[in-house]
Amino acid sequence: MAIGSARPRCGSRGGAATTDAWGGSVWFRDWLRTDELARQRYEAIKRTLSEQQVGKRDYDDYTLAKTAFFDEVQQEFEQWAATAGVADPDRASGR
């Protein structure tokens, strides 16, 4: 989930370590385990980005490109999350 958000967010988006951020990362992992095509796409992006970053001290480009991937697959991830029941109804209602 995004920090301060009631909807599941995929991947790690940086910032403070929170339960929401951890939950989003775990859910993203679980989604990748169930969706072979998404897993292959993510692996390909990570490999390409890693190759592009060899020898660089700053990984900002790598992080930004991964964030772009998360944004691209967010809707697919949310659909999976809804059917997998990973959204927390108490959190969504503000309780």
Side-chain angles (χ1 to χ4, degrees):
M1 297 173 103
I3 296 172
S5 171
R7 69 186 184 125
R9 295 288 296 179
C10 61
S12 173
R13 303 215 176 227
T18 67
T19 302
D20 288 349
W22 180 253
S25 295
V26 170
W27 294 336
F28 180 66
R29 177 207 63 198
D30 292 349
W31 174 61
L32 289 177
R33 287 179 174 174
T34 64
D35 189 323
E36 185 175 352
L37 180 58
R39 185 172 57 248
Q40 290 171 351
R41 288 168 44 207
Y42 188 57
E43 178 184 4
I45 285 172
K46 286 191 61 137
R47 286 183 184 275
T48 299
L49 294 173
S50 293
E51 291 169 5
Q52 293 171 354
Q53 296 301 313
V54 171
K56 293 183 180 179
R57 291 179 161 205
D58 185 347
Y59 273 74
D60 285 345
D61 292 339
Y62 175 82
T63 303
L64 289 172
K66 278 182 40 179
T67 298
F69 171 79
F70 296 144
D71 291 343
E72 178 185 314
V73 300
Q74 181 62 37
Q75 186 174 7
E76 293 172 53
F77 173 76
E78 286 182 11
Q79 289 171 346
W80 169 83
T83 60
V86 298
D88 182 344
D90 288 339
R91 188 147 172 75
S93 66
R95 292 183 217 162

